Amino acid sequence: MRDERIPVAVLGATGSVGQRFVQLLAAHPWFRPAELVASERSAGKRYREATDWRLDAFMPEIAADQRIRGYNEDLESPVVFSALPAEVAGEIEQRMARSGHAVLSNTRTHRMESDVPLLIPEVNAEHIAVIETQRRNRGWSGFIATNPNCSTIHMVLALKPIQQAFGLEAVLVTTMQAVSGAGYPGVPSLDMIDNIVPYIGDEEEKMQTETQKLLGGFGPDGFTPAEFIVSASCNRVPVRDGHTECVSVRTSSPATPDDVIAAMESFRGKPQELDLPSAPPQPVIVRREANRPQPALDRDTARGMASIVGRVRPCPLLGTKFVVLGHNTVRGAAGASILNAELLKEEGLLPL
Ligand SMILES: NC(=O)c1ccc[n+]([C@@H]2O[C@H](COP(=O)([O-])OP(=O)(O)OC[C@H]3O[C@@H](n4cnc5c(N)ncnc54)[C@H](OP(=O)(O)O)[C@@H]3O)[C@@H](O)[C@H]2O)c1
């Protein structure tokens, strides 16, 4: 039977995030992984030969025998998902956008540019309007849209309902980030066993600036960063998947823990309104148990697409504190890009 789904390409398809793209797209109702692209080391090989498959389910058949393409080959897919290392993403993603592709990127390279949307569809779907400016500024027939860093996205999903209901004045966050966030093979095992590494390059800056863009203003003159302060401390911990973050916030108007929980649980956005295929029915799920969320138990809730909050309680310093956990390669990376593509398709912005 003919596969009528929209063909899409994955750049960096052999990597940690790339594999997650392949897995999610193989089962996707609208998109099919038609072109898999990786470095010169892999180009020309079959996907099964070039990829050290690290996910717990089998490698999807639709991908296993595909020949991996090199970055200089022309791609036919109108939609290109990028899971490239930042060092090489800039030029490659721009070339794809110039030649008419919709590029949905996980990479930090273009996130903070003034004509590039940094999207979480539940939080700032209206930022897609900047795509028109981007095309005009750059003379591109395609475009680049990005999703945030894997720890930013889960924190911001939890912050948005608080900001909407009570306003935000300050955010203090300490992360415990999974090893898969560093790609594969990632952090050497001798650095990780029996250990915590209290530094992840550029991560703290990304959490601060991306949060301000996501929760800031947007109008005809572009983006205005949110004015509240964000202070982040980021740590790598010996967890396989799932970033856990301890967050304290100062709100503009008073909020009890029950008020915060009610705001989070009733929060919905554009993906739920449009019933997008990858949308979790409830983007922020609150656990009441004293010892949840935990990465081993909770990261796959809602197929890894929700942010799981727990321990909402008073903070003697800032007013309210809580823990948020989320899957870093699903909602924190590949799943986020795919949800962005679903939104853009529904809004008529994909070059189909
Ligand atoms: N891991 C996460 O949780 C996470 C979350 C959010 C965002 N991100 C971002 O997503 C991107 C990918 O991360 P990852 O963790 O998947 O990395 P990764 O496991 O190291 O995979 C990198 C991919 O890029 C390809 N590649 C490597 N060097 C290349 C080069 N010089 N030219 C062209 N292609 C090259 C690799 O192909 P070969 O196999 O052929 O070498 C592989 O497919 C990064 O920008 C990262 O910051 C990651």
Side-chain angles (χ1 to χ4, degrees):
M1 209 172 64
R2 252 176 79 86
D3 191 338
E4 303 286 352
R5 295 178 295 165
I6 299 161
V8 300
V10 180
L11 311 181
T14 52
S16 197
V17 175
Q19 293 183 24
R20 191 63 80 179
F21 267 120
V22 169
Q23 182 188 47
L24 296 174
L25 291 167
H28 198 276
W30 297 352
F31 306 125
R32 70 180 158 91
E35 295 173 301
L36 306 178
V37 187
S39 79
E40 291 310 308
R41 290 182 287 277
S42 311
K45 295 181 185 163
R46 301 274 162 206
Y47 188 66
R48 72 164 91 241
E49 295 157 8
T51 307
D52 188 355
W53 186 254
R54 307 303 301 171
L55 302 182
D56 49 7
F58 284 108
M59 177 184 285
E61 270 184 41
I62 193 171
D65 284 323
Q66 283 192 35
R67 185 185 66 80
I68 295 188
R69 288 153 211 268
Y71 291 104
N72 292 324
E73 294 181 40
D74 287 335
L75 299 179
E76 286 175 6
S77 304
V79 179
V80 173
F81 292 105
S82 171
L84 286 173
E87 301 69 44
V88 298
E91 188 273 329
I92 297 171
E93 292 180 356
Q94 287 175 29
R95 181 159 44 83
M96 301 273 171
R98 195 176 303 122
S99 60
H101 300 280
V103 179
L104 285 302
S105 174
N106 268 278
T107 309
R108 69 169 181 269
T109 315
H110 300 289
R111 284 180 192 148
M112 295 305 295
E113 291 172 8
S114 61
D115 57 0
V116 173
L118 174 64
L119 286 175
I120 305 176
E122 287 92 340
V123 169
N124 63 340
E126 69 281 6
H127 288 198
I128 60 175
V130 83
I131 288 172
E132 199 184 313
T133 313
Q134 184 191 131
R135 284 177 156 152
R136 207 174 42 241
N137 287 350
R138 306 189 189 211
W140 291 349
S141 47
F143 63 85
I144 297 174
T146 62
N147 48 272
N149 165 271
C150 42
S151 23
T152 307
I153 196 163
H154 289 290
M155 177 177 79
V156 170
L157 272 166
L159 291 179
K160 177 72 178 185
I162 300 179
Q163 185 194 34
Q164 268 176 348
F166 315 106
L168 272 174
E169 292 189 352
V171 177
L172 179 69
V173 56
T174 300
T175 70
M176 290 156 277
Q177 299 184 216
V179 185
S180 65
Y184 186 80
V187 189
S189 55
L190 280 179
D191 287 349
M192 241 25 283
I193 297 169
D194 186 31
N195 205 15
I196 288 173
V197 180
Y199 173 71
I200 303 175
D202 297 330
E203 196 82 351
E204 294 172 356
E205 294 76 9
K206 283 188 265 181
M207 284 198 81
Q208 291 161 199
T209 56
E210 291 177 16
T211 299
Q212 286 169 326
K213 182 171 179 179
L214 287 155
L215 293 176
F218 175 64
D221 296 330
F223 300 108
T224 330
E227 282 181 6
F228 58 80
I229 309 157
V230 183
S231 172
S233 300
C234 297
N235 305 285
R236 188 74 70 196
V237 298
V239 165
R240 184 189 164 110
D241 288 313
H243 292 348
T244 308
E245 309 174 26
C246 296
V247 186
S248 289
V249 295
R250 185 164 64 229
T251 53
S252 311
S253 58
T256 66
D258 283 344
D259 294 336
V260 169
I261 291 172
M264 288 175 170
E265 289 188 326
S266 59
F267 174 60
R268 301 289 184 277
K270 200 86 179 166
Q272 290 72 35
E273 186 188 309
L274 296 172
D275 198 19
L276 299 176
S278 302
Q282 186 176 319
V284 183
I285 293 170
V286 182
R287 302 287 309 220
R288 302 304 209 277
E289 303 91 323
N291 60 355
R292 302 289 273 272
Q294 296 180 20
L297 301 178
D298 299 316
R299 62 191 164 211
D300 293 324
T301 306
R303 296 176 293 150
M305 287 299 287
S307 299
I308 318 302
V309 166
R311 307 213 60 222
V312 182
R313 60 207 192 281
C315 169
L317 190 63
L318 293 183
T320 304
K321 58 184 172 178
F322 59 90
V323 179
V324 60
L325 161 81
H327 202 301
N328 54 298
T329 64
V330 184
R331 188 59 196 257
S337 276
I338 294 171
L339 190 63
N340 285 352
E342 292 170 2
L343 172 72
L344 293 166
K345 177 178 176 294
E346 286 303 87
E347 298 291 333
L349 283 163
L350 292 186
L352 303 176

